[in-house]
Amino acid sequence: MVAYLSLLLPAAIETTQALAPIGRACDTSDVVANGAGGLVGTALAALVIVFLRCTPLPRGTARKGLIATGIATALMGTVLYASVDLVVMNHTVASPATSAQKAAIDQRLRGAFGGAYRVTDYSVTTTGFDDAATVTAYFGNGMAELSWPDQWDFTVQVMSATDEPIEAFSVPGAAAGAGAAERPVGDKDAVLIARAYADRFAPWGTRNAKVKVARPDDGGLPGWLVSWRRYEREVVLPHRFDVRIDEEGRVSELTERKVADPQLPPVRVTEGEAWKTFAKSFPERADAIEEKPDPTLSAQFRDGEWRVDWLLVATTSTGSLEAAVDATDGSIHDPAEILLARNSEVP
């Protein structure tokens, strides 16, 4: 009975985390780890009972306990099956990078910063979907990541601090950096520095694109996020290039996506129809919506093909509701409620 309870208790905890709006995730690996620990403890206790001639539980008590835990397991399994969408996926696994992966991310890092950084270590993390993985290169206080095998997405984060000017990247020819006469004092200065970087290292990322600048409030280092976006009519095409400029005028973050302009399906679903589909996905929360910002039509790569989605967000008193509605066939994808109070996501 004790062994059974050692398995039932962690299973009950994970079931509660799956069902209760407490900002926690349900993970079967926790059941395995905690249950294994309980079984080991039960086995050790059984040895103590044998060798020290202790008194075990009476058979009647053990039998009643087994019946009760069996009923509890059946009820818990029924509720879990009826209330939760179970997803099977591989856990993240880190492994050494191959020579091809090292060469690919080295080439992208040299192209992005002109050989300013020397990689000291590599790793590969599988994502759990097909053969997709992320190759990571470490250098000094920074890191770069490259999606594999498509090599579409490339991101870099560089430590930015005024007392370590060699870490964040000073753009050659731009009036920025610890030794420069000026530092960026506004959006315009940040855009000029970002353009100087793009003209030298990533001219492909800004062609036929509109530039936007913002001071993000994402908990990261202060600075400006300068983004270039391209459009096909009103549809936002896959982003190609973002760069973050710190308050010293240096590059602290970089996002590249080298994707050719896709052939997109026609837009047949109107904004109003998309909102109606959106509301049907949140039947119990639709009346709680306080504001609906203007949605975005965006190109999204899904299930091996490019689609056009209405990206919809509606705010409530406790957070926001989010979903993507396919602008061609009207199907809805990834509906979620984001709870601001706990900074958690409820699918």
Side-chain angles (χ1 to χ4, degrees):
M1 187 188 72
V2 175
Y4 201 172
L5 288 172
S6 297
L7 299 176
L8 179 63
L9 181 58
I13 292 173
E14 295 305 314
T15 300
T16 302
Q17 292 182 169
L19 298 176
I22 57 176
R24 299 296 300 275
C26 173
D27 192 337
T28 54
S29 64
D30 291 342
V31 177
V32 173
N34 294 331
L39 292 176
V40 170
T42 304
L44 293 175
L47 291 175
V48 170
I49 290 174
V50 171
F51 286 102
L52 297 184
R53 298 181 180 180
C54 299
T55 303
L57 288 174
R59 289 182 178 272
T61 302
R63 187 180 301 110
K64 293 178 182 178
L66 284 172
I67 293 174
T69 51
I71 295 173
T73 300
L75 291 174
M76 185 172 62
T78 301
V79 172
L80 190 65
Y81 180 80
S83 307
V84 176
D85 293 328
L86 303 178
V87 178
V88 178
M89 62 180 295
N90 297 327
H91 277 277
T92 300
V93 178
S95 58
T98 65
S99 57
Q101 291 169 335
K102 292 179 181 179
I105 198 168
D106 282 347
Q107 182 180 7
R108 294 291 287 271
L109 191 60
R110 284 195 302 270
F113 297 102
Y117 302 109
R118 177 177 174 273
V119 177
T120 58
D121 196 12
Y122 305 85
S123 69
V124 178
T125 304
T126 58
T127 63
F129 298 96
D130 299 326
D131 59 349
T134 300
V135 183
T136 304
Y138 304 92
F139 56 90
N141 291 332
M143 61 183 293
E145 293 184 336
L146 177 66
S147 63
W148 192 267
D150 57 43
Q151 301 185 42
W152 282 1
D153 299 304
F154 178 67
T155 61
V156 182
Q157 293 181 332
V158 187
M159 176 64 70
S160 177
T162 56
D163 58 345
E164 298 183 25
I166 63 171
E167 295 296 345
F169 184 73
S170 294
V171 181
E182 298 181 11
R183 298 176 181 175
V185 294
D187 294 355
K188 183 177 180 180
D189 293 337
V191 171
L192 290 175
I193 295 170
R195 284 189 183 278
Y197 172 84
D199 290 343
R200 185 180 182 95
F201 295 101
W204 55 267
T206 60
R207 295 191 187 104
N208 303 319
K210 297 180 180 179
V211 64
K212 294 183 179 179
V213 60
R215 299 208 70 167
D217 183 18
D218 55 7
L221 295 172
W224 294 263
L225 180 64
V226 184
S227 306
W228 279 266
R229 294 291 182 269
R230 294 171 303 107
Y231 295 82
E232 182 178 302
R233 296 186 178 91
E234 70 273 28
V235 180
V236 182
L237 294 176
H239 80 269
R240 285 189 173 181
F241 184 69
D242 296 343
V243 62
R244 191 160 183 162
I245 306 299
D246 70 9
E247 293 190 319
E248 296 296 319
R250 302 185 299 247
V251 175
S252 60
E253 294 182 14
L254 170 69
T255 302
E256 295 180 356
R257 199 176 201 206
K258 290 190 175 181
V259 181
D261 290 345
Q263 294 292 326
L264 299 176
V267 175
R268 296 193 177 99
V269 177
T270 67
E271 179 182 338
E273 292 170 338
W275 278 117
K276 290 180 181 178
T277 302
F278 179 90
K280 292 178 181 178
S281 296
F282 302 97
E284 298 179 357
R285 302 292 292 155
D287 294 338
I289 294 176
E290 297 179 348
E291 186 178 359
K292 296 192 294 186
D294 292 336
T296 300
L297 270 175
S298 177
Q300 303 289 323
F301 192 72
R302 184 172 59 250
D303 298 331
E305 62 179 350
W306 285 99
R307 309 293 298 177
V308 176
D309 286 349
W310 286 104
L311 303 183
L312 307 173
V313 178
T315 61
T316 67
S317 60
T318 58
S320 63
L321 308 175
E322 301 180 3
V325 175
D326 193 299
T328 302
D329 61 23
S331 59
I332 193 163
H333 302 271
D334 304 323
E337 180 177 1
I338 310 300
L339 303 178
L340 296 181
R342 296 182 178 272
N343 194 28
S344 61
E345 182 174 326
V346 179

